Amino acid sequence: MQDSQGTTELRPSHRISRRDALRYVAAASALAGLGAAAAGAAAPVASAAAPTLIDFAMRQIPARDIRAAGHSGVINYVSTSRPGSSMGAKPITLPYAQSLAAAGLAIVSNYQYGKPGGTAPSDFTRGYAGGVADARTAWQLHTAAGGGQSAPIYFSVDDDVNRETWNNVVLQWFRGINSVIGVQRTGIYGGINPCQWATADGVIGRSGSPGRVWAWQTRSWSGGQVYPAAVLYQRVVSTVSNPGPVVGGLEVDVSDALAQDVGQWNLHP
């Protein structure tokens, strides 16, 4: 990736302010923007016609540019930049989140600090204690930006890990994460195998969309297969040799929403 159940009916007992009314409209719009995915929720393959969310790291892309490009929302970081780098979209800020919500865009949280070959090692290599520390940081940044209290955070396995590494290292990292925010608020980003292993080992939560779990699968390391239980599929991975589409002057990654509930904040207040 880049360093790129039914809803509850609102029944206010008092007159709401204009500001709150606008907030409710924006939240409903963000949900509606993903609603079309529900019709294809049982399909095992991603579709270019599905609602799309983008992820990016270098700087904040204005909400108007994201809407103009036809995307339904963003997957944004609840982590800081690695040593020696300064990425303007890490972490997501409250003012930026408010601008996205006001434009009717969905917001989903993702945590990634380290990276293979980067100035900090991959987060999952730090085991249980690392998972505890990462979950605490992720939750603090998520809530500071206005993230939903029951919304999941996707934690990145941005590498082609094998089963041995999963069992002995990555799984322990996820158990550390679970100890802080609970299984239901934990999601995974990775290739098809880690997504399946995380589900089988019970370390990620379940979407409100039937049969789906908090798995954000990347096409990388997936052999052209799509995990039927995933809620997001990263169809476009922007690289130097294969750049992604440009939105607001920045190349972005693009993910298809495979379910109505992908963990967007407005569905999980």
Side-chain angles (χ1 to χ4, degrees), residues 59-122:
R59 59 177 172 81
Q60 296 173 344
I61 299 175
R64 63 179 179 276
D65 294 333
I66 298 171
R67 284 199 61 109
H71 300 293
S72 297
V74 305
I75 305 166
N76 222 155
Y77 290 95
V78 288
S79 52
T80 58
S81 297
R82 291 182 294 279
S85 63
S86 181
M87 298 178 181
K90 300 180 72 170
I92 187 171
T93 62
L94 179 59
Y96 184 55
Q98 290 173 330
S99 74
L100 295 171
L105 294 168
I107 306 171
V108 175
S109 289
N110 168 247
Y111 181 89
Q112 182 176 358
Y113 177 70
K115 187 181 179 82
T119 55
S122 295

Side-chain angles (χ1 to χ4, degrees), residues 228-263:
V231 291
L232 289 161
Y233 179 71
Q234 191 180 55
R235 175 169 45 86
V236 178
V237 182
S238 183
T239 63
V240 173
S241 61
N242 188 28
V246 175
V247 178
L250 192 68
E251 292 172 7
V252 301
D253 297 337
V254 181
S255 294
D256 294 324
L258 305 181
Q260 184 174 8
D261 181 5
V262 300

